[in-house]
């Protein structure tokens, strides 16, 4: 499942982040990937351990916690602290798959990557190229969203960032270990949840809707790993 979640950050939040990021120091993005990824990754990142990365990451996490669509889609159990990257002219990230397991700073437990997420901090008109391409059985899906918007997609997907040919592409990115590791099951739960929400808005909590809500939670109870 690939999903666009609009306005995770407000315009003011984006503007504040951009002002801070524009004054920060960036390092080679290959510092956070394995040998295969290092061959095709050409960008810059904010150092993981930098105070600014931690500060801005907390802003992103708070916004995610307040976003019901993100929770319904990802069903997050644990989230890797958000990272921040920058692509200038000529920079790109070739086709790759995210590593299945990541170590979380400060935690002895590794995190399984079920859901990958990119939060756009540059407006589309600020740069040319730089599209996120996510490949699945239906082909390649091109993503270039407004600043503050988020895209989530299965971490098992092959994906790439096209070369930037003008301007700069700035994003936050992170991974989620979901309570439901199977993408097809997460998709079914999201579809059921969204239909429940629409019916509730039209009909209120009628008897049939209570039954559907019960069905949702019983499926989640059966599939969730916590």
């Amino acid at each position: 499942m690939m999903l666009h979640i609009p306005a995770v950050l407000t315009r003011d939040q984006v503007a504040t982040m951009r002002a801070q990021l524009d004054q920060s120091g960036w390092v080679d993005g290959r510092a956070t990937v394995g040998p295969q990824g290092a061959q095709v990754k050409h960008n810059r990142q904010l150092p993981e351990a930098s105070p600014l990365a931690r500060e801005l990451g907390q802003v992103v996490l708070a916004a995610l916690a307040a976003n019901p669509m993100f929770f319904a889609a990802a069903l997050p159990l644990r989230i890797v602290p958000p990272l921040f990257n920058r692509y200038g002219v000529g920079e790109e990230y070739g086709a790759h798959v995210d590593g299945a397991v990541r170590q979380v700073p400060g935690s002895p437990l590794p995190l399984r990557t079920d859901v990958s997420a990119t939060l756009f901090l540059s407006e589309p008109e600020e740069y040319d190229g730089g599209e996120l391409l996510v490949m699945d059985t239906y082909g390649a899906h091109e993503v270039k969203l407004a600043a503050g918007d988020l895209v989530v997609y299965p971490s098992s997907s092959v994906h790439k960032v096209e070369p930037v040919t003008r301007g700069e592409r700035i994003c936050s990115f992170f991974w989620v270990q979901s309570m439901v590791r199977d993408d097809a099951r997460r998709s079914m739960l999201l579809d059921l949840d969204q239909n429940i929400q629409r019916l509730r808005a039209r009909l209120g909590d009628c008897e049939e809707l209570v039954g559907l809500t019960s069905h949702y939670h019983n499926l989640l109870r059966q599939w969730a790993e916590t």
Side-chain angles (χ1 to χ4, degrees), residues 36-37 39-41 92-98 133 135 157-162:
Q36 183 184 36
Q39 297 179 50
V40 295
K41 186 176 186 181
E92 63 180 306
Y93 196 168
H96 65 284
V97 175
D98 292 333
L133 291 182
M135 279 71 82
S157 304
V158 174
H159 56 284
K160 63 189 294 188
V161 176
E162 293 282 64

Side-chain angles (χ1 to χ4, degrees), residues 47-107:
E48 284 187 82
S50 76
L52 180 59
R54 293 174 179 172
E55 176 188 342
L56 298 185
Q58 288 302 312
V59 175
V60 173
L61 290 174
L64 295 173
N67 191 292
M69 179 61 77
F70 171 74
F71 183 86
L75 295 171
L77 178 62
R78 300 170 64 207
I79 302 177
V80 172
L83 301 172
F84 298 84
N85 60 19
R86 191 174 202 132
Y87 292 79
V89 174
E91 293 182 312
E92 63 180 306
Y93 196 168
H96 65 284
V97 175
D98 292 333
V101 176
R102 290 192 66 89
Q103 194 63 46
V104 179
S107 172

Side-chain angles (χ1 to χ4, degrees), residues 15-226:
T16 299
M17 280 193 181
R18 287 290 303 275
Q20 293 174 284
L21 290 169
D22 287 344
Q23 300 300 317
S24 62
W26 299 82
V27 299
D28 192 323
R30 290 174 292 183
T32 56
V33 295
Q36 183 184 36
Q39 297 179 50
V40 295
K41 186 176 186 181
H42 305 284
N43 68 358
R44 290 157 289 155
Q45 289 181 193
L46 208 59
E48 284 187 82
S50 76
L52 180 59
R54 293 174 179 172
E55 176 188 342
L56 298 185
Q58 288 302 312
V59 175
V60 173
L61 290 174
L64 295 173
N67 191 292
M69 179 61 77
F70 171 74
F71 183 86
L75 295 171
L77 178 62
R78 300 170 64 207
I79 302 177
V80 172
L83 301 172
F84 298 84
N85 60 19
R86 191 174 202 132
Y87 292 79
V89 174
E91 293 182 312
E92 63 180 306
Y93 196 168
H96 65 284
V97 175
D98 292 333
V101 176
R102 290 192 66 89
Q103 194 63 46
V104 179
S107 172
L109 299 175
L111 179 149
R112 184 186 68 243
T113 58
D114 298 317
V115 179
S116 296
T118 298
L119 176 61
F120 288 77
L121 300 175
S122 297
E123 295 291 356
E125 60 269 20
E126 292 185 61
Y127 60 101
D128 293 332
E131 295 85 0
L132 171 66
L133 291 182
V134 181
M135 279 71 82
D136 61 21
T137 54
Y138 294 98
H141 307 278
E142 183 178 293
V143 186
K144 190 173 185 178
L145 302 179
D149 287 11
L150 178 76
V151 63
V152 296
Y153 55 95
S155 297
S156 56
S157 304
V158 174
H159 56 284
K160 63 189 294 188
V161 176
E162 293 282 64
V164 171
T165 59
R166 179 188 65 86
E168 289 197 314
R169 174 195 192 267
I170 302 172
C171 293
S172 176
F173 63 102
F174 55 91
W175 297 271
V176 178
Q177 179 172 331
S178 178
M179 289 184 285
V180 177
R181 74 166 70 195
D182 182 74
D183 180 60
R185 290 177 173 179
R186 284 197 309 274
S187 296
M188 285 189 285
L189 287 169
L190 176 62
D191 184 62
L192 182 56
D193 173 82
Q194 294 304 291
N195 278 288
I196 287 171
Q197 300 306 322
R198 285 190 286 269
L199 285 171
R200 178 171 287 119
R202 286 170 50 194
L203 304 175
D205 279 317
C206 60
E207 181 179 350
E208 293 80 4
L209 194 58
V210 172
L212 287 174
T213 303
S214 173
H215 186 58
Y216 172 91
H217 284 286
N218 285 333
L219 285 174
L220 183 58
R221 184 175 292 111
Q222 180 176 349
W223 294 337
E225 304 170 18
T226 61

